[in-house]
Structure formats: structure tokens, C-alpha cells
Amino acid sequence: MAHSEDGDGRHFHIPLSEHDAALTAFIEPTEQIARRDVPEACVITFFGDVVDRLVEQRGARVLVENRWEDGPHPLLELEHDGRRLAVLRSGVGAPLAGALLEQVIAMGCRYFVACGGAGTLHPDLTLGHCVVVSAALRDEGTSFHYLPPGRLVDADPGARRALESVLDARGVPFVSGLTWTTDAPYRETPAKIAARREEGCLTVEMEASALAAVARFRGVPLAQVVYCGDDLTGEVWDKRAWQSLADVRDGLFDVAAAAALAMADAGG
């Protein structure tokens, strides 16, 4: 276990190092959430604007409103290429994203592709460039409640290959690599950014390691793709108006949808 010391010199265990491998929790999702008639293939997206367009332009309908204190995080159903597809409007940050994934697994979704945005740690990763997550550096707390302490969590290899195959088939430029998942965007200090870049991290975001850990614990395949948004490589932060790229966000959703459906076909 990891040890530290308080101001009085007393040693203590860091709580996140105290992993409990019990398979059943006090509040177990499958005991609280009823299974439903939901599509097995599911896209997890953080793009609220994309979800709005799916409802307004493509007839997506809400299966479960899934209201939390901060508002609804609905699970929707969409017909995509003549197939049933689930879409989860996820919440930002590892704890909420991980808990919402738990809920839709309990409802019956089984094959997942997450799509979102990330800050770039390398200047050659231009605005809109796609990165497939090969592994995530666990600089957040949620993943430590699902997996033993460790620095990295790898992506599911089969799910990752399915996602990369769709990107290749569509001629979408992408790279695969390590991402840095952190709970604290306002504590991404210059020293930490430099250290993460030196370690090989291509991007920084807030959910990837938690989603990978939950999926591994529950035994479901999950792949993740992000597009490069804001730039953390210069002397000052460059937001690059990254959230305005509707065409990139819609296109990334379509890639994620095709990959999730392909995973369901292969798994079924």
C-alpha cells in the first residue's frame, strides 16, 4: 500500500491504495436497476450538441431519462444504418461517467465505444485530430475502486481493434496512444504537463481511465476515441474554440456508432 505522512509525522495509508476486490457492493447496480429492452451496442458521448441533433434531426428517442441532481443523463435509442443503437449522454468527470456506465450495463447494454474531446499535449496533434486510447494514466480516483492500484489501465484490445478498423476503412487520420486522465483540470501545472508528455501521454481528459476500469471490472468491451481540442503545448492555454467543431463531433459519433455495432456483431 502507498504510505504518506501528515503534518505531525504520523504515517497513514492513502485510501485509494486500499483496494477491496469484493465483487458485490452494498449498492449493487443489478439489484437496484431493472434490465430493460435496450440495444446491446452503445455509444457513450460527452457531446450534448450531438445528442440534441440526434433527437431533432434523426428521431432518437429517450429510453430512460436517468435524472441525477445535476439534471438528466438520458439513455436514448437511435436507428443507425438500419440497426438499433443505444446512446448515453454521459456526464463530465470520472466519478459521474463511471457511475453512468455502471447503470447502462445493468440495464443491458454490452458493447461500448466512448467518444469525446481532449486537450492535446503535442503541437503536431492539430485541432480535430483523432486519438484512439490505447491506455490511460490513472490520475483520478474512480478507477482505484474497480482495479488494484496501478499507474495505467490498458484499453480492451478487441474493442480497440474494432474502432481502429472503422477509422481505417473510412480514411480518418488518427493515432493511437496514451492519455492522461485527471480529476483536476485546474491543477494541470506546467511541470505535470511536461512530465506526462515525457511519459508518452498524447492527450489529457477527465474520464478515460475510469471508463476503462469499470468496463474491465464488469467484463464488457469498451473502446475510446477523442479528438484534439484545446492546446496545452504553448506558453499559455489555447482553447482553440474546440467545442464549435460540429462536423468533427458528428463524424466522430458516426465512427463510434459503426464500431459499437461491429463489436456487437462480432460478439453476438
Side-chain angles (χ1 to χ4, degrees), residues 7-214:
D8 297 325
R10 293 173 298 184
H11 291 277
F12 61 90
H13 296 303
I14 296 172
L16 288 179
S17 70
E18 300 169 356
H19 180 67
D20 185 344
L23 296 179
T24 303
F26 187 73
I27 305 174
E28 186 63 24
T30 55
E31 296 175 0
Q32 306 298 325
I33 299 168
R35 285 185 63 88
R36 300 169 180 264
D37 178 20
V38 299
E40 288 194 323
C42 180
V43 173
I44 300 169
T45 185
F46 302 92
F47 303 148
D49 58 320
V50 171
V51 174
D52 290 343
R53 286 190 288 276
L54 294 176
V55 172
E56 295 163 3
Q57 301 173 15
R58 297 180 57 181
R61 64 185 183 91
V62 174
L63 295 175
V64 185
E65 187 179 47
N66 208 21
R67 182 171 290 278
W68 285 50
E69 282 295 328
D70 64 333
H73 296 277
L75 180 69
L76 304 96
E77 181 173 339
L78 172 73
E79 183 177 313
H80 187 87
D81 291 339
R83 308 274 302 284
R84 295 181 69 198
L85 176 72
V87 180
L88 173 64
R89 182 171 182 166
S90 192
V92 172
L96 182 51
L100 289 167
L101 175 56
E102 282 271 36
Q103 291 184 326
V104 295
I105 292 172
M107 291 175 195
C109 296
R110 286 294 175 269
Y111 303 93
F112 297 91
V113 178
C115 60
T120 180
L121 302 181
H122 286 269
D124 55 339
L125 291 176
T126 55
L127 180 63
H129 198 94
C130 291
V131 176
V132 173
V133 174
S134 63
L137 192 149
R138 301 166 63 186
D139 197 7
E140 42 69 45
T142 301
S143 68
F144 290 84
H145 297 278
Y146 288 88
L147 300 176
R151 191 162 184 82
L152 304 177
V153 55
D154 290 329
D156 179 277
R160 175 186 164 189
R161 285 194 298 270
L163 175 57
E164 291 172 338
S165 293
V166 171
L167 288 161
D168 279 332
R170 298 189 175 200
V172 178
F174 73 94
V175 294
S176 298
L178 179 64
T179 189
W180 167 26
T181 304
T182 176
D183 280 335
Y186 290 114
R187 290 300 299 156
E188 295 167 4
T189 63
K192 281 189 176 181
I193 291 169
R196 300 297 185 252
R197 184 187 300 116
E198 181 66 23
E199 190 170 350
C201 293
L202 303 180
T203 55
V204 58
E205 37 61 50
M206 298 178 65
E207 301 88 15
S209 56
L211 290 176
V214 173

Side-chain angles (χ1 to χ4, degrees), residues 195-244:
R196 300 297 185 252
R197 184 187 300 116
E198 181 66 23
E199 190 170 350
C201 293
L202 303 180
T203 55
V204 58
E205 37 61 50
M206 298 178 65
E207 301 88 15
S209 56
L211 290 176
V214 173
R216 181 181 297 182
F217 182 80
R218 294 300 178 190
V220 297
L222 180 145
Q224 303 183 66
V225 59
V226 296
Y227 77 91
C228 292
D230 53 318
D231 185 353
L232 284 75
T233 66
E235 293 294 322
V236 296
W237 178 47
D238 186 356
K239 191 172 183 179
R240 300 199 296 192
W242 71 275
Q243 292 168 312
S244 65

